[in-house]
Amino acid sequence: MDILAYIANNIPLILERTVEHLSLVVVAVGAAIATGVPIGIAITQNRRIADAVLYVAGMIMTIPSIALFGVMIPILAVVGQGIGYLPAVIALFLYSQLPIIRNTYTAIDNVDPALREAARGMGMTAVQRLRTVEIPMAVPVIAAGVRTAVVINIGITAIAAYIGAGGLGDFIARGISQTDPRQLVTGALGVSILAVLADYALLWVQNRLTPSGLKG
Amino acid sequence: MIRLENLSKTFDSPEGTVRAVDNVTMEVPEGEVAVLLGPSGCGKTTTMKMVNRLVQPTSGKIYIDDKDTDSYDAIQLRRQLGYVIQQIGLFPNMTVEQNISVVPRLLGWSRQAQQTRARELMRMVALDERLLSRFPKELSGGQQQRVGVARALAADPPVLLMDEPFGAIDPINREVIQDEFLKMQAKLKKTIMFVSHDIDEAVKMGDKIAIFRDGRLEQYDDPDMLLSQPANPFIADFVGGDRELKRMRLTRVSAAMDPDAPTVQADDSVANARAIMDQAGRAHAVVVDAANRPMGLLTDRQLDGEPGRLCRDAANPLPEPVTADRDLRTAVSSMFTHDVDWMPVVDADGCFAGVVTQDGIRGVLAESRRRPARQGAA
Amino acid sequence: MAIPGLDRALRAGTIVGLLAAGVVAERSGLLPEILSHWGDILYLGREHIYLVLISGGLAIGVGVPLGVVLTRRRMRNVAESVIQVVNLGQTIPTLAVLALSMSVLGIGTVPAIFALWLYSLLPIVRNTYQGILSIDPAMLEAAQGMGMQPRQMLWQVELPNALYVIIAGIRTAIVINVGTVPLAFLIGGGGLGQLIFTGISLYNTGMMLAGAVPTALLAVVIDFLLGMGAYWGVPRGVNPLR
């Protein structure tokens, strides 16, 4: 088959694009975890701020990705970084906020009040409680949020090819514009497999992080 | 009336064949409440669920009003029976009125008939009619449970099947609802099969109690019989070591009192009192007023002194009287509270009816313990 | 520790922010540039909505019944595997689905609608399935014990009680749908994506924003409308928000 031949002949290129793709996702999600988790924890202290933050993050999610990329371009053009890596990473970073913040917030907020009561009764401060009870129990849910963010981002990164960010989406874009089904399918299969593999891999991690007392 | 004949339910499990219900034969007389009682897993719920075919019997027959239930289509059968479960199972998407009207609607009643019936039922279960337009989530647990009962009664079925219906309610409200249910049943006289794991509830609610163990019917008797003559050590253990105290709940003071205890008029003389007491051969007499209400007590010792003295002035104060229709358990508790071993008994109008003593209570309990026992299952 | 007036402050802040953006747009000559494409915005906007309605409507029409069927007793064995496949399908990026649709069906509106339909199907099927399965078994036992037929149970008990979750699934699906329609342009499906992508490749910010801003607004508005629909449409008894 043409496609298989194409793949076989272009492995270095495919790998290069895959690495490009993954690096975008990893950087964006990594940054999102670094900001999202603390924000998620912080907003558990105040219901109204939490509602506001989640609302804003949710709004960002409803904006179609290409639209967000589009809006990033003129803004970043001011600093000469209009296309390519930076707008893509920033948009991806913003898209990762909701799953991570919301999962962190929900996980900590939903810790059984009885547990909180017991911890307080034992004389723990709020910070100690966070550290020994709430956060460990929240980790699997946060991991689920990270997983969602990664899978969504792999998809959006494919679109980022259209603003010059590279990645596997590049094959799809060229495949469409050059009416080349080999590149098209290579790209489509590539992102699909990448997404599915990432989902399973992170599911495994999520399960590893679930304290055995909470499983099943 | 419900009749079970050699009813069995077996199924296969990895450990072998399990006999969930083993050859059960019993009859629930019309208009009576039969409580199926036993520990978890004894087969009581499975037995009941075979009556409305939520569980298919492996063998045996079930007759309702002498008709074999096999001859009915399962769904038609269920619409003729009322079914109440522990978790209530009200439909959150329907209002209270719509919930109650489910079976009438399935049976094709007119809208008008449904509405009238719904209002009638709310009155019957002592709920405000204004709750008809509310949704279940807006009701308290006790209110939801009453709606559940109303729903089961909607199509006026002759038979009710109830699976631990009051189990999900807190103990205080449970007492209240049980009392109201008994009042309702006294009027409606439905034939009821009631599953419970609580011996106290069974004794309170049941006209008959069927004790189950490991799928077998161990004993089927009225509560007093069950408590006074348990058929084997398991049952004796299950009904509890305090079963005589439980029995006391079932007997009225009027059954244990001595109606012939001598009385003397308040305005009588002490000399007369002595004569009455000598004649009755007793050492005490209760002093009553003109309306026959007890007001004092005369003993031997007070009879010394001027013979012309009025009884009312010579009398000692009386322990708190107890009404004749109270149960023995309350009476005994009252005796302990007031530190006495006997009490005067009055009727509903407060007039003297007799005297109840601890001896008298012991006697009446022992007497009925000697009633001839029936063979296990009816 | 509630900070009084916070949400009013936020709302005010959003409005101020939008106004500021508007002023900037005006000053930099961006706004007239965007508005020069007004004709295209209307035409492509209509196409855009049309794509959402058709693919979304078909997805609801197939997805809800499919979800219901999967919950039936005789489907028990197959259902879990099917749901696994559905979940798998949802991880596949939208662009890939569109691209693969194109490679099989060619370019144009039909392959675009097909891809959009397929992708919107997944959240709807999954939510319908889970919504019905998560109904309190006590309710179903009571319904069966009262003598309801399976069909009556479905319409009078199961569906009304799963309604909120099903509508949440529809909302998710439509939001994803609206967000994916811009990409439909790439395989010849039309819509506001035309302005966005052309604007990017021509380095024409005005054109690009003429596509991006209406798209974003459309998404937000539709999500808001669906949220209102969920709040008011689902009867009080089964609506956790009321």
Side-chain angles (χ1 to χ4, degrees):
Chain A
M1 273 244 290
D2 271 348
I3 299 171
L4 291 175
Y6 177 81
I7 296 177
N9 291 336
N10 287 282
I11 296 209
L13 182 61
I14 295 175
L15 283 178
E16 189 190 322
R17 293 266 180 269
T18 310
V19 170
E20 250 175 10
H21 201 111
L22 280 176
S23 78
L24 273 166
V25 173
V26 168
V27 170
V29 174
I33 295 177
T35 58
V37 171
I39 293 180
I41 295 176
I43 62 177
T44 56
Q45 302 302 320
N46 182 316
R47 197 44 184 289
R48 310 202 54 200
I49 296 187
D51 285 340
V53 169
L54 287 172
Y55 183 71
V56 169
M59 282 256 289
I60 295 176
M61 287 295 269
T62 55
I63 300 175
S65 53
I66 191 65
L68 194 57
F69 285 144
V71 166
M72 290 275 113
I73 293 177
I75 297 177
L76 291 174
V78 170
V79 290
Q81 287 287 339
I83 56 170
Y85 195 77
L86 200 54
V89 166
I90 294 180
L92 287 171
F93 168 79
L94 288 174
Y95 276 116
S96 312
Q97 292 304 306
L98 180 67
I100 293 178
I101 295 181
R102 186 175 56 191
N103 276 35
T104 309
Y105 169 74
T106 315
I108 293 188
D109 205 48
N110 282 357
V111 168
D112 191 347
L115 291 175
R116 280 218 191 94
E117 186 84 16
R120 262 177 73 208
M122 282 194 268
M124 288 195 201
T125 65
V127 174
Q128 287 170 325
R129 215 173 60 221
L130 272 174
R131 216 157 11 105
T132 53
V133 177
E134 292 170 330
I135 292 183
M137 292 198 61
V139 165
V141 184
I142 297 176
V146 169
R147 189 169 134 228
T148 308
V150 166
V151 171
I152 291 178
N153 280 0
I154 290 180
I156 297 177
T157 307
I159 301 171
Y162 279 92
I163 63 165
L168 289 165
D170 207 55
F171 287 111
I172 299 179
R174 285 182 210 270
I176 293 179
S177 61
Q178 298 169 11
T179 320
D180 182 353
R182 302 171 309 163
Q183 291 190 70
L184 183 79
V185 174
T186 305
L189 284 180
V191 283
S192 305
I193 294 174
L194 193 61
V196 172
L197 283 179
D199 190 44
Y200 273 103
L202 288 173
L203 181 61
W204 180 84
V205 171
Q206 186 183 325
N207 283 335
R208 284 301 301 276
L209 289 173
T210 310
S212 34
L214 288 180
K215 280 200 233 221
Chain B
M1 153 278 281
I2 309 172
R3 191 167 74 242
L4 310 178
E5 275 180 13
N6 301 107
L7 197 60
S8 289
K9 176 69 181 172
T10 56
F11 56 89
D12 293 311
S13 82
E15 291 93 29
T17 318
V18 177
R19 323 207 70 164
V21 178
D22 195 351
N23 213 355
V24 169
T25 300
M26 60 180 273
E27 181 174 319
V28 185
E30 189 159 334
E32 287 193 9
V33 178
V35 178
L36 307 188
L37 183 65
S40 309
C42 63
K44 55 192 194 294
T45 303
T46 312
T47 303
M48 190 182 84
K49 284 196 183 171
M50 286 198 268
V51 177
N52 68 355
R53 300 252 287 277
L54 285 180
V55 171
Q56 270 298 114
T58 311
S59 65
K61 291 234 161 268
I62 304 174
Y63 297 90
I64 298 186
D65 285 339
D66 287 317
K67 267 198 86 175
D68 187 347
T69 57
D70 274 335
S71 67
Y72 290 95
D73 161 52
I75 293 196
Q76 296 307 321
L77 174 66
R78 291 171 197 154
R79 293 183 189 174
Q80 318 276 6
L81 306 172
Y83 185 49
V84 186
I85 57 178
Q86 181 177 24
Q87 312 94 318
I88 311 169
L90 290 183
F91 305 133
N93 55 304
M94 300 186 194
T95 58
V96 167
E97 180 173 353
Q98 287 168 331
N99 261 287
I100 292 179
S101 308
V102 169
V103 180
R105 203 169 49 232
L106 289 175
L107 291 174
W109 289 22
S110 76
R111 194 83 178 79
Q112 188 57 28
Q114 287 177 35
Q115 281 173 338
T116 317
R117 182 69 177 152
R119 276 195 286 265
E120 195 183 320
L121 287 162
M122 291 293 272
R123 273 196 297 273
M124 224 190 284
V125 296
L127 280 177
D128 191 335
E129 278 175 37
R130 274 173 298 179
L131 293 176
L132 280 172
S133 57
R134 296 278 175 84
F135 286 95
K137 72 176 181 183
E138 295 167 301
L139 267 47
S140 73
Q143 290 171 323
Q144 286 182 18
Q145 190 47 276
R146 290 174 210 232
V147 173
V149 173
R151 185 172 68 171
L153 290 169
D156 203 19
V159 170
L160 273 188
L161 302 176
M162 306 178 82
D163 188 359
E164 311 218 36
F166 309 131
I169 311 176
D170 66 271
I172 297 178
N173 274 311
R174 199 184 305 157
E175 283 273 333
V176 174
I177 292 191
Q178 283 170 342
D179 289 334
E180 282 176 9
F181 185 80
L182 286 173
K183 257 186 269 175
M184 211 171 56
Q185 165 65 355
K187 263 184 282 182
L188 297 177
K189 284 266 162 265
K190 300 281 183 205
T191 310
I192 301 180
M193 209 181 236
F194 189 117
V195 167
S196 176
H197 65 270
D198 179 359
I199 179 69
D200 289 317
E201 185 176 52
V203 167
K204 178 173 180 178
M205 308 288 290
D207 294 310
K208 295 279 243 304
I209 301 180
I211 299 241
F212 280 75
R213 175 163 70 143
D214 292 332
R216 271 185 309 276
L217 177 58
E218 296 273 335
Q219 186 173 0
Y220 184 46
D221 260 323
D222 60 69
D224 191 59
M225 201 59 178
L226 188 77
L227 290 169
S228 57
Q229 301 187 40
N232 60 46
F234 163 75
I235 299 178
D237 199 45
F238 188 82
V239 300
D242 61 340
R243 53 195 166 89
E244 288 299 330
L245 290 180
K246 292 187 168 101
R247 279 189 69 206
M248 282 200 239
R249 271 230 196 88
L250 298 170
T251 318
R252 305 254 159 262
V253 167
S254 47
M257 70 181 180
D258 174 11
D260 300 324
T263 60
V264 294
Q265 286 300 316
D267 297 320
D268 238 352
S269 71
V270 168
N272 258 351
R274 154 159 285 137
I276 293 175
M277 280 161 65
D278 280 341
Q279 191 186 36
R282 307 285 186 103
H284 313 119
V286 174
V287 181
V288 296
D289 61 13
N292 205 23
R293 271 184 256 270
M295 47 163 303
L297 174 70
L298 273 184
T299 62
D300 261 344
R301 262 172 283 128
Q302 284 124 349
L303 296 179
D304 303 326
E306 334 93 70
R309 201 161 165 229
L310 286 183
C311 288
R312 80 162 67 234
D313 298 321
N316 274 338
L318 212 49
E320 274 282 317
V322 65
T323 38
D325 64 354
R326 304 229 72 180
D327 61 86
L328 287 181
R329 199 162 189 262
T330 316
V332 168
S333 182
S334 209
M335 284 188 202
F336 280 121
T337 309
H338 298 288
D339 204 17
V340 291
D341 58 6
W342 72 279
M343 286 163 70
V345 182
V346 294
D347 62 18
D349 302 313
C351 301
F352 182 77
V355 153
V356 66
T357 63
Q358 287 192 356
D359 259 350
I361 294 175
R362 265 201 359 247
V364 85
L365 288 177
E367 183 191 313
S368 47
R369 210 177 307 129
R370 284 188 288 269
R371 269 192 297 154
R374 251 168 318 163
Q375 290 307 87
Chain C
M1 87 169 168
I3 301 179
L6 182 64
D7 42 25
R8 221 175 304 142
L10 268 171
R11 235 174 285 156
T14 319
I15 296 177
V16 168
L18 285 172
L19 282 175
V23 167
V24 167
E26 172 85 66
R27 283 295 172 75
S28 61
L30 211 50
L31 195 57
E33 226 189 293
I34 295 175
L35 292 176
S36 68
H37 298 282
W38 188 245
D40 279 331
I41 294 178
L42 283 181
Y43 175 76
L44 295 169
R46 248 202 310 272
E47 240 182 6
H48 202 106
I49 295 177
Y50 167 81
L51 284 168
V52 172
L53 286 178
I54 300 273
S55 59
L58 285 174
I60 296 174
V62 172
V64 173
L66 186 57
V68 169
V69 165
L70 286 174
T71 60
R72 301 299 91 185
R73 219 169 300 156
R74 47 197 157 87
M75 299 294 282
R76 250 336 116 74
N77 306 328
V78 208
E80 277 306 307
S81 329
V82 173
I83 292 292
Q84 299 259 32
V85 171
V86 168
N87 284 333
L88 193 71
Q90 264 212 280
T91 51
I92 297 179
T94 51
L95 186 60
V97 175
L98 278 163
L100 288 169
S101 174
M102 180 184 113
S103 62
V104 172
L105 294 171
I107 61 171
T109 329
V110 171
I113 291 184
F114 177 76
L116 288 167
W117 169 78
L118 192 61
Y119 211 74
S120 310
L121 204 57
L122 308 173
I124 297 178
V125 170
R126 194 168 59 179
N127 272 42
T128 307
Y129 177 76
Q130 280 173 349
I132 292 185
L133 279 190
S134 67
I135 288 180
D136 187 358
M139 228 190 290
L140 298 176
E141 187 187 327
Q144 204 189 6
M146 279 194 279
M148 274 199 198
Q149 282 167 333
R151 200 172 5 115
Q152 290 161 331
M153 270 206 296
L154 179 64
W155 285 100
Q156 291 183 34
V157 179
E158 290 178 288
L159 281 176
N161 282 290
L163 193 60
Y164 188 75
V165 178
I166 294 178
I167 290 194
I170 292 178
R171 191 169 161 201
T172 308
I174 300 289
V175 168
I176 294 177
N177 191 313
V178 175
T180 312
V181 171
L183 301 178
F185 160 72
L186 298 172
I187 67 168
L192 291 163
Q194 176 176 320
L195 288 169
I196 303 178
F197 284 100
T198 317
I200 291 177
S201 54
L202 295 181
Y203 293 98
N204 184 337
T205 317
M207 184 189 282
M208 188 271 302
L209 284 176
V213 172
T215 308
L217 279 177
L218 204 57
V220 171
V221 167
I222 290 183
D223 182 49
F224 177 76
L225 288 174
L226 286 172
M228 287 286 108
Y231 185 82
W232 293 107
V234 179
R236 211 163 21 110
V238 282
N239 190 336
L241 298 176
R242 274 209 272 167

